[in-house]
Amino acid sequence: MTLDIWLKKDPDLMKLVIAYYRVSTGKQGKSGLGLEAQQHAVRHHCNSNGFQLLMEIQEVKSTRKRRVYLENAFALCQKHQAALIVARLDRLGRDVEEIARNIKLPVDIIVADNPHANRFTIHILAAVAEEQRRSISENTKSALQAAKQRGVLLGKNANALALQNKAAAYKFAKELQPLLFKLNEEGICSTRKIASELNRLKVPTFRPGGRWHRTSVHNVLSRLEMTKNKEAAPHK
């Protein structure tokens, strides 16, 4: 585990931020793999928004155990009345429990690649991402186990996989439901507007790497039976 701090203070600037970078292994930390991208994202965001980058803290870890330097970063934020900035949400933690624990602290958090996210949406994004990873993992394990037990190719278990995917899709929709209710309260009700807002917030889709469209929003709303008074889905 290592710690690198770069300090520069200008009291004339209104917004002070402290950057936290994390790389997963000692080898990555020494090589700078992943670090430069995080630094570029954070510094670019600070320059674009007039933020004063007070400190940069780098942590190298190979496990999910206690992150001492992240805790130090939060303490320094409180001391200097600064916000904590990270390049991506997963730098704060890899699961909902860890991220939820961090965002409860009395420190403003800025995510450079999703600057519009607040404490509520950060929690929802973390929950959706975790559920997505869990569903994909469970579906893959179940499919491989079924194929091995039956002595058939994975592709021939279409019915079982369809049921598993349907269950996973419903769980994914339930994780997204609080955010959809919040968007409705803000007047974002049509499938087109919801899709646009989910893309703006960089909410992951059920299939990794995809983008939200009217049809995908309609599918989620249908699973939740929230399609009443919503914009009709486009014709196939």
Side-chain angles (χ1 to χ4, degrees), residues 196-209:
S196 177
E197 186 66 9
L198 292 178
N199 285 327
R200 186 182 70 83
L201 292 173
K202 298 186 179 180
V203 177
T205 57
F206 182 63
R207 302 298 179 188

Side-chain angles (χ1 to χ4, degrees), residues 12-45:
D12 294 330
L13 292 179
M14 296 180 63
K15 185 73 171 180
L16 295 177
V17 296
I18 293 176
Y20 172 76
Y21 309 124
R22 180 178 64 82
V23 290
S24 299
T25 66
K27 183 178 180 180
Q28 287 183 353
K30 293 176 182 178
S31 68
L33 181 63
L35 176 60
E36 289 185 2
Q38 293 179 58
Q39 290 175 326
H40 175 76
V42 166
R43 292 174 183 177
H44 176 74
H45 186 77

Side-chain angles (χ1 to χ4, degrees), residues 21-223:
Y21 309 124
R22 180 178 64 82
V23 290
S24 299
T25 66
K27 183 178 180 180
Q28 287 183 353
K30 293 176 182 178
S31 68
L33 181 63
L35 176 60
E36 289 185 2
Q38 293 179 58
Q39 290 175 326
H40 175 76
V42 166
R43 292 174 183 177
H44 176 74
H45 186 77
C46 290
N47 291 335
S48 299
N49 293 275
F51 296 160
Q52 175 64 30
L53 188 54
L54 181 62
M55 300 180 187
E56 290 184 301
I57 298 176
Q58 175 193 341
E59 185 165 40
V60 178
K61 290 202 65 172
S62 58
T63 70
R64 291 189 183 182
K65 295 180 181 179
R66 180 180 173 186
R67 297 181 184 178
V68 176
Y69 294 124
L70 178 57
E71 295 174 11
N72 290 344
F74 277 114
L76 288 168
C77 284
Q78 291 180 278
K79 178 181 178 180
H80 295 283
Q81 297 183 331
L84 183 78
I85 184 169
V86 293
R88 303 192 309 272
L89 181 59
D90 63 5
R91 300 302 86 186
L92 283 178
R94 295 294 294 176
D95 55 53
V96 176
E97 181 181 358
E98 186 176 12
I99 291 177
R101 183 169 61 250
N102 289 330
I103 65 177
K104 285 181 180 179
L105 297 173
V107 172
D108 289 337
I109 297 174
I110 301 170
V111 182
D113 74 344
N114 197 346
H116 300 289
N118 54 33
R119 292 179 185 273
F120 177 81
T121 54
I122 285 175
H123 192 279
I124 294 298
L125 292 172
V128 171
E130 181 176 303
E131 176 61 23
Q132 186 180 45
R133 291 193 299 269
R134 188 197 63 78
S135 296
I136 292 172
S137 177
E138 287 188 358
N139 289 344
T140 301
K141 290 178 181 178
S142 297
L144 291 174
Q145 184 178 11
K148 184 176 181 179
Q149 290 176 347
R150 298 180 185 182
V152 297
L153 296 176
L154 181 62
K156 294 184 179 180
N157 288 324
N159 291 334
L161 287 175
L163 292 175
Q164 292 168 6
N165 287 335
K166 184 177 180 180
Y170 177 73
K171 290 181 180 179
F172 175 82
K174 289 294 290 183
E175 291 288 342
L176 204 58
Q177 192 172 35
L179 180 56
L180 295 176
F181 280 140
K182 183 174 184 293
L183 295 181
N184 284 178
E185 292 173 356
E186 295 175 353
I188 302 174
C189 301
S190 71
T191 54
R192 187 188 302 279
K193 290 182 178 180
I194 292 173
S196 177
E197 186 66 9
L198 292 178
N199 285 327
R200 186 182 70 83
L201 292 173
K202 298 186 179 180
V203 177
T205 57
F206 182 63
R207 302 298 179 188
R211 284 182 58 80
W212 288 96
H213 301 283
R214 292 175 59 192
T215 49
S216 52
V217 171
H218 178 78
N219 289 339
V220 169
L221 296 177
S222 295
R223 293 185 184 101

